[in-house]
Structures are given as C-alpha cells and as structure tokens.
Amino acid sequence: MPTRKEAEQLSIDEIHDLFSQLEELKEKNKRSELTQKALFEISELAGSVSELSRLYPAIHHIVGEFMNAENFYVAYLNHDEHTVDFVYLIDQYDEPIVKELSSEEISKGITAYILNSGEHLFLTKENTQQILQDKGISLLGQLPVDLIGVPLKRGNNVIGAMVVQSYDDAVRYSQDDLEILLFVSQHIVNTVDRVKSRELTEQTIRERTKQLRTINEELQDEILERQKIESLQQALFDISELAASVEGDMCQFYKYLHDILARLLSAPNCYIATLDEKNSMLEFPYYSDEINTNIQSRPMGQGLTEYVLRTGRAELIDTSKVNQLCLEGELDQHTADNMLRQANSWLGSPLIVDGEISGVIAVQTYGENATYTLKDLELLRFVSHHIATAMERKRSSEAIQRYNIQLSEKVRERTDELHKTNLYLKKQIEERKEMELKLIHDAHHDSLTGLPNRVMFNSRLELAIASKKRYVDHNYSVLFIDLDRFKLINDTLGHHAGDQFLIEVANRIAKCIRAHDLLARLGGDEFVILLDSFDAFGDVEEVASRVINSIAAPFILDGKEMYSGASIGIANIETGYQSADELIRDADAAMYQAKALGRGRYVTFDKSMREKLLEELELENEFRRTLKSSKFECYLQPALGMDSRDVLYQECFIRWEHPKLGKIKREQFWQVAEHSGLTIEIDNYMLEQACNILANWQTMDGPEKDYRVAINLSINHLMQSKLVSQLIEYISGANIDPSKLVFEFDETDLNRRSQFMLPAIRKLKRAGVTLVLDNFGSGLASLSYLYSYPFDYVKVDHRFVKSIPRSQRNLKLIQSVLVISEHLNFKLIAEGIETEEQYQALTAIGCELGQGNYLQRSQKLEESPGLQSLTA
C-alpha cells in the first residue's frame, strides 16, 4: 500500500499530465483560429483585390501570419509552352538563380515534381537528401533546412505549386504546418480564379469603353455637322421670315441680315452695296466696320466691290491674291495697299434678282489670324441668293406698306365709329374664347400635374394607330408606368405629400423623353407615354431604363426622404390594333408582368401575358377574400434544443389552400401579398394571432406558460419609424410581455434596403423583442448582418441543412458560423432538419438548436394543446 507521500506525488503527476493536455488543446485551438482567420482573409481578397500583381503579396502576408514564410513563391504550369511561370518569388538565395535557369533545368527541380505528380513535398534537414534521391529530384539553388511544397489544384487538375522554405536552423516546419498549407491552398486557387476573372472583366470593360469613346467622338462629329446644317436651315428660315415681316425699316432689316450672317461665319465687318438707277454710282445702304465707321456713295472704280460686279461671281480676296489682281488691272493700287497694310481677308458675293445683279454683300476681317476659307466663300455664295430675294421682297413690301398706310388713313376716319361700336363686342368675344380654350384645356389635361389626361392621350393614340396602318414603317410604342409605394406615401405623409410626389414624378419622366413624345397621367399613380417615330425598338427600352432610374432616385417630401420605383409595361403599335383601349390594356398587362418579376423593371407585351394577368387577378381577389374572412390555416412548429428537446420558441406561420388550385406554396403566397399591397395587413394579422396565442398560454399552468411565439415580419414594417412605433404600441396594448415575442426577418428582404433597417431593428431590440435573422445564406450571406445587427438568433437556410452530410463544404460553413456566434453573442439555429443523418452531423459540430420535421412536425393551431378555443 503506497504511503501518504507517494499518494501526494501521484496526484502531482496527474496534474502535470492535465496541464500538458490543456497546453496541447490550447495550441490546437490557436492554430484552428489562425486557419479560420487565414481562410476569411483569403475570401476577403477575392472581393477587395482586382489585380493579380497585388494578390500574391497579400497571400504571402496571410501565409506568414500562421507560419514562418520569409522565403515563399508561387509557380504555375504553362501547358501550351510546357514551361513553369514563377508568378511570385521572394527568396533570399534562390531569387536571382531561378531567373537565370532554363526551362530544361527547371523541369528537374522540386517545383516541376509537384506540378507533374500532384503530390506535396515535406523536406526536413534530416530527410532532404534521401527524398530527393528516391524521387529523382535535382536541387536547384541553395539547400534549405526545411521546405514544404503543396500543389494548387482546380478540381483534379494540378495548375500550380506553392512553396515555403527555411534556411535557418532556428526556423523548422511541422506536420501541422503542412496540413494547414494543404488546406489553405485550395481556397487560394478559388481566390486566384475569381481575381483573374475580375481582372479579365475589367480589361474587357476598358476595351469596350474605348470603343464606345471612339463611337461617341464620331457621333459628336456627326452632331456638329448636323448642327451646322440646322444653323444654315434656321438662317434661311429667319431670312425668309425677315423678308415677310412688315415691321421695321430697311436699316433695321439690314442689321438683322448682318446678325443672321454672323451666326454662319465670322462677320465682324459687313456692308451691302447697291447700284443707282444709272449703274454709275455705288450706294451703301448698310455699312458696319470696326475701322471705317462711315462711308459715302462713290462712282464706280477699281475696288473690290466693282470687281465682283464685273465678274458676277462670289470672290475670296486676301493678301495672297490682291497683288495678282492689281497686276492684272482688276484692282487699283490704293485698294491693294490698304489690304496688305491691314492684312485684309475679304468675301463678296453678287446680289442677283431675276438674273440681274443689283448689288454686292461683303464681309471682311483684319489681321493675319482671321482669314476666310473656300468653305466660307461657298456658304456666302449660297446665302447671298436668299438675301437678294429677301431684300427685293422687303423693298416690295415696304412699297406696299406705304400704299396701305395712305389707304388706311382714308379709311380710318370712316371706321372710327364702327371700331368703337365693335370694341366692346370684341372684348366679349375674346373673353368667351379664353373661357372656351380653358374649358378645352381642362377637359384634356390633368388638373394636378398639367399633363394630358386619358381623353387627350386616347385621341393621340387613335391617330398613331391610324398612321401605323397607313405608314407601316413608322414606329410607335406605348409605355404604361406604375409607381411603387404611392399608397404608402399618401397614408403616412398625407395627400399633400402625395400630390407633391406625383408632380415631381411627372417632371422627372418628362426629362426622359423627347419634345414630340406624349406623356399623360391616366389617374392615381399611373402614367403613360406615347413614343413617336423612333428608329429601333432598342430606343424604347432605353427610354424605359431612363424612367426607372429617374424614379429610383430619392424624393424629399415634407422634409423626409422617401423612395419609390417604377414598373413599366411596353406595347409596340402593330397594324392589328383597332383601338387605343386595346393598346393601353396590353401595356397594362405587360406592366403587371414587370411587377410580378420583382418591380423596378420593364417588360414588353406578348399575348400570353393577358391570360396570365387574368389568372393572377383571380388569385389576388381570392387572397383578399380569404384575408378578410381570416380563413388562412395557422400552424405552430417549435425551435428546439437538439439534445434536450426543450422548446426555444414556437414559430407561428400561415398557409393558404385555394379552393381550385389547392395548397399555395409559401413563395407564391408572399408574392401575391406583395403584389396586392397587403404585406403589412398580413403582418398585423400574424401579430394578432401571436398575441392571442400568448394571452391564451398565460392562463395555463403547463410549460406553455413560458413559451415564446415567433412570426415572420416583412421589411415593409421597418421602412418607417412610424410603423415600428405602431408595432410596439400594439404589443403594449395587448398586455403581452415583449420578451415572449420573436420577430424573424428574411435575409433576402434585408438585402434590398439593409441601410435603412438597422435603426428600426435596434428600436425593436430596445423594446424587448427577440430578433432572428431567418434564411441566413439564402442571399448574399453578408457577415455585416452578424457584426452590425443585434440579432439574438441566426437561422441557417434550410438548403444548407438539406445538403449535409453529403456536402462537407456546407457543413464547414455552418461550423464557421458557430465559431463566430461565440464571439458575437448570438445563437445558431439549424432550420429544416429532416433526417437522422442531418441531425447527427449537426450535433457532431456542436450545433445545439434546430427546427424541422425530424425534431417535431408542425401542428395546426387547433390541434395544439390549449389553443382549440382560438379557432372555434
């Protein structure tokens, strides 16, 4: 029998063993945390790094955090050229050596062995020579103390190798280092592939941008040319209008002509010269010059004007031509000297009417930097014909005007009395016309926005349909626009804010269409556009995209920022349409299809949509009747402890059995609710059911007295603080302990407006409500929800649970979230447990909470203990 001292000694040994085990466990946990951190950082690299040149140093840094990786390189096998590419190499000895090695030498080394065999290498100071000899590997460069090389694989194909090595006896590698590096290597391949894909995508975008820039420059040139043509056409129109005008004298007429000409070419100095009746004197009815402010009539001579009169041609004369004309005797020396001294550039064109030259119009510049071109000459020659005609018409008009003035003087005396008599009658007629015009305007326009109304739009649409039948090549299209959340804005901010919203929407849409297109308001939040004479149907889609983006921008209503959206249905006018109502009906059907696909988009009509719309309307009507009569079936299914089967809370949900279609799927149920605008009503219905259940349980003495009830809540209740406050007030008014209520929010819904949800969720948390993030992983699975939002529980999406234990990857994802939950103070619930294998796999990784038919099937409300009275 051992002595007392021996017994004490034995206890101390056991304690030492226990400490050793604890130290070993601590070291293992530390390496596990480092591995998880490395995987997380590698995953983050895929989203934060867009170039491979930045990726490999980042990977080197991550590897160096869990092991000594001072000497590190990554190499890839180039299958086309049968070479090895060292894409990243940091080595204190081998870096300059590798750059000088030939392809044949590299093919015998360690890297080539890993690439060809697909096996890893773990060389130590003690086994290096033996392994190199056994595997027939030639060592290139400095002999390392330790070396670990792992293959990089895409599926079963080896694409590269990653190697760390140490030249220091103090730095040795272990089997754990090898296992971690093997584990991390596959995640690195995925990250490299994603960065390569992003880099390729960005390169494609840059090339496409360059192409678009070139196209844009060509379009700008074409636009500039068209603008010049339009300017010329406008100038000719203005000249014609000027000649037809009876107002203003000839001096003002000539000044306007100068202004019009200055829009086409540089004309700081301009004059008009005409011949007298004997064709012996030059007269200047208009003269504007920055040097010579005045000029007198003069006899015909050898000037520039006379040269144009003699030749009968438009002429460009500058310093390079004046000497030649002077030598030929066409110009006098005085004129030539003046042009050379002032560096003149002169354009002159004859004014010809009915084949006879009546004068000259000329423009000129001073200085070497301002010269005319042959293009300017051609332009002046073309315009001068119109100017000559306009001058002749103006002179004739003035003559007629003078005659009319004389005649009117004689008539005025005789008509004064009649004028006074008719003055009152005219005033009455004008007032009546104004009233009639106002009535006509009001009958055809919307009183709020000032846009055309349904009557005017239908009239224009009927004309477009008739035009399409006559001119088949003309394109017309109708866009039916429906706004999101208009009713919510009206109900929460009032009708005044709703009117402001509609006016702003009308202004935004008007900026998205052309001047000759027609925008109308049919009523409520429905707008329609008639696009007239477009080139291709892609133009219609472009207009629809502009409208959607414009409406998606925030609105400031009564000092509050609100958001809306637009769903657009497009119906292209074809020859088969007979009436405007048919087109509007089909555009409306396409709009409903756009809303069904998720709103904020456009859909072009086809015939199948009308049939589908009729079915959806019937389904929506039946949904409303069922909600009004509270005929939905309520179910309860608990979330339980995996081992103890203790009830965490009872989830309350509803199902709908259609009289013809049978049981409606959950996704279709909520889709109908959203399209009907009844999501908040459904939430209120569910909250009422939950409060009734809790109130009933409070009167019982069984375990139900401590149960909590969970309901799924839509994000529409979180869009405004007012709705959140109403939730809290309802709970308080129902005399229900808020801690007994559990609100579940779908991750996919949160993704749409996550930046606006956090204040509302925190408000519910402060009120004492238990919060659950439902279907985690079904959407973007953003970790920001876990870090930023105060969720008490996180439900892993049932699709992840369904795939285990077959999918070890999903199992490891759940395990990773479990690790995170320990640090962020939330608990994980595995949803949708259906089999023994799923249950065993989840319990093996430490999952404590679950929900599903394997643990306990859902029950109808009337079948649950103590709740029969609620459904009576």
Side-chain angles (χ1 to χ4, degrees):
M1 183 174 181
T3 63
R4 181 177 182 181
K5 183 175 181 181
E6 288 175 341
E8 291 178 355
Q9 183 65 38
L10 182 60
S11 298
I12 291 173
D13 290 339
E14 291 177 350
I15 291 172
H16 279 303
D17 291 340
L18 181 60
F19 272 116
S20 298
Q21 294 174 9
L22 289 174
E23 286 295 329
E24 182 179 350
L25 182 60
K26 177 181 178 183
E27 184 63 26
K28 184 176 181 181
N29 287 337
K30 181 179 179 181
R31 297 190 69 84
S32 177
E33 289 179 359
L34 288 174
T35 304
Q36 293 292 339
K37 180 182 178 184
L39 293 179
F40 179 78
E41 291 178 349
I42 290 170
S43 177
E44 288 294 310
L45 287 178
S48 61
V49 175
S50 60
E51 298 176 359
L52 291 175
S53 59
R54 295 172 50 202
L55 174 66
Y56 294 117
I59 292 175
H60 186 185
H61 175 74
I62 293 172
V63 172
E65 288 184 340
F66 62 79
M67 65 185 298
N68 187 294
E70 183 178 354
N71 303 285
F72 175 87
Y73 69 84
V74 178
Y76 286 103
L77 179 60
N78 189 328
H79 293 281
D80 295 335
E81 299 180 4
H82 302 288
T83 59
V84 178
D85 296 334
F86 288 85
V87 296
Y88 183 77
L89 176 63
I90 299 296
D91 193 288
Q92 63 189 94
Y93 294 111
D94 290 347
E95 185 171 352
I97 296 175
V98 171
K99 294 179 179 179
E100 297 177 358
L101 291 175
S102 65
S103 300
E104 182 179 355
E105 291 174 318
I106 292 177
S107 66
K108 301 176 182 178
I110 292 174
T111 305
Y113 172 79
I114 297 172
L115 293 173
N116 294 328
S117 66
E119 299 176 355
H120 65 269
L121 279 179
F122 184 12
L123 305 181
T124 65
K125 182 178 180 181
E126 293 78 14
N127 68 5
T128 297
Q129 295 298 337
Q130 185 62 41
I131 291 177
L132 294 180
Q133 181 178 353
D134 293 343
K135 297 184 180 296
I137 301 173
S138 298
L139 182 63
L140 307 176
Q142 182 70 24
L143 178 66
V145 175
D146 280 0
L147 178 145
I148 298 178
V150 297
L152 299 177
K153 297 182 178 180
R154 185 183 292 116
N156 294 325
N157 297 323
V158 178
I159 63 169
M162 181 171 62
V163 178
V164 294
Q165 52 188 332
S166 166
Y167 298 105
D168 189 352
D169 288 332
V171 178
R172 303 297 301 272
Y173 297 140
S174 64
Q175 187 68 25
D176 289 339
D177 293 326
L178 171 61
E179 292 176 358
I180 293 176
L181 202 60
L182 282 169
F183 183 65
V184 169
S185 65
Q186 295 313 305
H187 295 271
I188 291 175
V189 170
N190 295 335
T191 299
V192 170
D193 287 345
R194 291 174 64 185
V195 173
K196 278 184 178 178
S197 176
R198 185 183 294 108
E199 190 174 51
L200 180 59
T201 301
E202 292 178 353
Q203 181 181 357
T204 304
I205 291 173
R206 286 195 295 272
E207 292 175 355
R208 182 58 179 161
T209 302
K210 183 178 179 181
Q211 294 174 357
L212 291 176
R213 187 179 297 111
T214 302
I215 294 173
N216 184 57
E217 291 173 355
E218 293 173 355
L219 287 175
Q220 291 300 324
D221 292 341
E222 183 178 348
I223 290 171
L224 183 60
E225 188 64 29
R226 291 190 178 184
Q227 288 175 344
K228 290 180 180 179
I229 295 173
E230 290 174 357
S231 298
L232 178 58
Q233 291 175 342
Q234 184 63 40
L236 297 179
F237 176 80
D238 292 342
I239 291 172
S240 177
E241 288 290 309
L242 189 61
S245 174
V246 297
E247 298 179 358
D249 56 13
M250 288 300 293
C251 291
Q252 191 68 25
F253 172 79
Y254 291 134
K255 185 177 184 305
Y256 287 155
L257 280 178
H258 184 189
D259 293 339
I260 294 171
L261 193 59
R263 298 206 306 261
L264 300 176
L265 49 79
S266 177
N269 310 291
C270 176
Y271 69 83
I272 295 174
T274 58
L275 290 169
D276 65 354
E277 295 178 355
K278 297 180 180 180
N279 292 335
S280 60
M281 293 288 293
L282 277 178
E283 297 176 347
F284 299 88
Y286 179 76
Y287 194 93
S288 176
D289 195 277
E290 57 190 348
I291 295 180
N292 302 314
T293 58
N294 191 21
I295 190 170
Q296 301 296 326
S297 300
R298 61 178 173 81
M300 294 284 286
Q302 295 293 107
L304 299 172
T305 304
E306 291 87 338
Y307 176 67
V308 172
L309 290 172
R310 289 195 303 273
T311 62
R313 301 189 307 267
E315 297 288 348
L316 167 58
I317 302 174
D318 52 22
T319 54
S320 63
K321 188 176 181 181
V322 67
N323 284 330
Q324 180 183 352
L325 292 175
C326 185
L327 292 175
E328 293 173 355
E330 296 290 347
L331 298 178
D332 58 41
Q333 189 62 46
H334 177 72
T335 299
D337 292 341
N338 282 341
M339 287 200 70
L340 293 172
R341 182 176 65 256
Q342 296 171 351
N344 254 127
S345 183
W346 185 89
L347 281 179
S349 180
L351 300 173
I352 302 174
V353 179
D354 296 332
E356 295 185 1
I357 299 175
S358 62
V360 172
I361 183 169
V363 294
Q364 58 183 338
T365 61
Y366 300 101
E368 297 177 351
N369 295 328
T371 59
Y372 291 115
T373 64
L374 293 177
K375 193 172 184 179
D376 296 327
L377 176 65
E378 186 64 29
L379 183 60
L380 183 63
R381 180 188 293 115
F382 179 78
V383 174
S384 65
H385 294 291
H386 297 269
I387 292 176
T389 303
M391 289 173 57
E392 184 63 26
R393 289 176 61 189
K394 183 64 177 178
R395 281 195 288 264
S396 300
S397 176
E398 281 202 333
I400 295 173
Q401 188 177 5
R402 286 193 297 270
Y403 175 80
N404 289 337
I405 290 173
Q406 294 173 1
L407 181 61
S408 64
E409 288 290 334
K410 296 177 183 179
V411 175
R412 187 177 58 185
E413 296 175 358
R414 300 178 184 179
T415 58
D416 280 345
E417 185 177 351
L418 180 62
H419 176 71
K420 292 178 182 179
T421 303
N422 292 334
L423 187 62
Y424 178 74
L425 180 60
K426 182 179 179 181
K427 183 178 180 181
Q428 284 188 325
I429 292 173
E430 288 177 350
E431 290 177 352
R432 183 173 181 178
K433 285 183 177 180
E434 289 178 359
M435 291 178 63
E436 289 177 352
L437 290 174
K438 187 176 186 305
L439 289 173
I440 293 173
H441 181 275
D442 292 343
H444 291 82
H445 289 79
D446 175 50
S447 59
L448 175 63
T449 62
L451 295 175
N453 60 11
R454 183 185 293 272
V455 175
M456 184 173 179
F457 185 83
N458 283 358
S459 178
R460 281 283 301 276
L461 190 53
E462 294 285 358
L463 292 176
I465 293 172
S467 175
K468 181 66 176 179
K469 292 178 179 178
R470 186 174 180 183
Y471 305 102
V472 180
D473 294 337
H474 288 192
N475 295 322
Y476 303 90
S477 188
V478 173
L479 278 70
F480 196 105
I481 305 169
D482 184 81
L483 306 177
D484 298 336
R485 289 186 286 279
F486 173 65
K487 182 178 183 300
L488 179 64
I489 293 173
N490 253 349
D491 294 344
T492 54
L493 300 182
H495 292 286
H496 175 69
D499 291 346
Q500 285 182 317
F501 170 72
L502 292 175
I503 293 171
E504 176 62 18
V505 167
N507 293 333
R508 291 188 184 185
I509 298 176
K511 295 177 181 179
C512 299
I513 62 177
R514 302 165 298 179
H516 63 275
D517 296 328
L518 180 65
L519 169 63
R521 180 189 176 208
L522 299 185
D525 60 345
E526 295 179 342
F527 293 81
V528 286
I529 299 172
L530 174 61
L531 295 182
D532 185 359
S533 299
F534 51 88
D535 296 329
F537 289 106
D539 299 338
V540 179
E541 296 178 347
E542 182 179 349
V543 171
S545 297
R546 287 203 300 266
V547 172
I548 290 172
N549 293 334
S550 176
I551 302 302
F555 292 82
I556 304 300
L557 304 174
D558 289 344
K560 297 181 177 62
E561 185 174 87
M562 300 293 293
Y563 286 84
S564 182
S567 300
I568 301 179
I570 302 173
N572 298 315
I573 299 182
E574 304 294 344
T575 54
Y577 283 108
Q578 302 298 324
S579 68
D581 290 337
E582 291 178 2
L583 261 168
I584 294 176
R585 177 200 65 197
D586 290 345
D588 189 22
M591 180 274 293
Y592 273 99
Q593 180 67 16
K595 292 176 68 174
L597 293 175
R599 302 175 184 263
R601 66 184 65 206
Y602 60 84
V603 169
T604 303
F605 173 80
D606 60 54
K607 292 183 179 179
S608 63
M609 291 181 184
R610 190 181 301 115
E611 299 174 358
K612 185 176 181 181
L613 180 60
L614 293 174
E615 293 178 1
E616 290 179 351
L617 288 175
E618 176 61 28
L619 189 64
E620 181 179 325
N621 292 336
E622 183 64 29
F623 183 88
R624 291 179 182 273
R625 288 192 291 269
T626 305
L627 177 61
K628 186 176 181 179
S629 59
S630 300
K631 292 296 181 63
F632 291 119
E633 294 181 346
C634 281
Y635 288 83
L636 291 176
Q637 185 175 34
L640 305 169
M642 299 280 276
D643 294 330
S644 64
R645 302 299 169 96
D646 292 337
V647 176
L648 180 65
Y649 61 77
Q650 291 278 1
E651 181 180 357
C652 179
F653 56 92
I654 57 178
R655 291 291 180 262
W656 178 28
E657 185 164 354
H658 191 273
K660 295 181 181 178
L661 303 178
K663 290 186 177 181
I664 304 300
K665 292 182 179 180
R666 181 178 182 272
E667 293 78 7
Q668 189 178 11
F669 175 91
W670 284 108
Q671 186 179 20
V672 174
E674 288 182 2
H675 291 176
S676 308
L678 298 175
T679 54
I680 291 181
E681 286 79 355
I682 289 292
D683 286 348
N684 292 335
Y685 175 80
M686 292 298 302
L687 182 60
E688 181 182 358
Q689 294 293 323
C691 290
N692 290 339
I693 292 171
L694 288 173
N696 193 278
W697 278 346
Q698 287 177 2
T699 63
M700 302 174 66
D701 296 327
E704 296 87 357
K705 189 179 185 67
D706 297 323
Y707 283 176
R708 292 182 290 180
V709 175
I711 60 173
N712 283 277
L713 208 62
S714 72
I715 63 167
N716 291 332
H717 253 113
L718 305 181
M719 295 297 293
Q720 299 180 43
S721 58
K722 179 180 178 181
L723 295 178
V724 178
S725 300
Q726 290 176 356
L727 278 178
I728 297 173
E729 290 174 4
Y730 181 88
I731 296 169
S732 176
N735 295 321
I736 297 299
D737 183 0
S739 65
K740 295 293 184 66
L741 276 173
V742 180
F743 288 166
E744 297 187 357
F745 296 99
D746 189 271
E747 182 208 51
T748 304
D749 291 339
L750 285 177
N751 285 333
R752 301 176 189 167
R753 289 285 188 271
S754 60
Q755 65 270 35
F756 306 108
M757 301 297 106
L758 185 55
I761 289 177
R762 287 177 174 170
K763 191 172 183 178
L764 290 174
K765 180 69 175 178
R766 290 194 296 270
V769 177
T770 302
L771 302 177
V772 178
L773 177 60
D774 195 12
N775 295 328
F776 180 73
S778 62
L780 297 178
S782 175
L783 292 177
S784 63
Y785 295 139
L786 307 183
Y787 283 94
S788 305
Y789 286 70
F791 289 111
D792 299 285
Y793 299 94
V794 172
K795 269 189 180 181
V796 175
D797 188 66
H798 64 90
R799 283 169 285 193
F800 284 90
V801 176
K802 183 179 180 180
S803 65
I804 61 176
R806 183 183 70 259
S807 175
Q808 289 298 312
R809 183 177 182 182
N810 287 344
L811 185 62
K812 289 186 179 297
L813 175 62
I814 297 173
Q815 188 176 15
S816 299
V817 179
L818 277 171
V819 174
I820 295 174
S821 68
E822 297 176 359
H823 300 282
L824 300 182
N825 296 322
F826 67 83
K827 293 183 178 180
L828 189 70
I829 302 174
E831 184 181 16
I833 302 174
E834 301 290 337
T835 65
E836 171 72 20
E837 291 78 7
Q838 294 169 356
Y839 171 79
Q840 294 296 339
L842 290 168
T843 55
I845 63 171
C847 184
E848 299 177 351
L849 304 174
Q851 185 180 29
N853 292 334
Y854 176 78
L855 299 177
Q856 187 172 324
R857 304 187 69 85
S858 60
Q859 286 184 308
K860 287 187 178 180
L861 187 62
E862 59 267 22
E863 298 173 359
S864 300
L867 297 179
Q868 291 81 358
S869 60
L870 292 179
T871 57

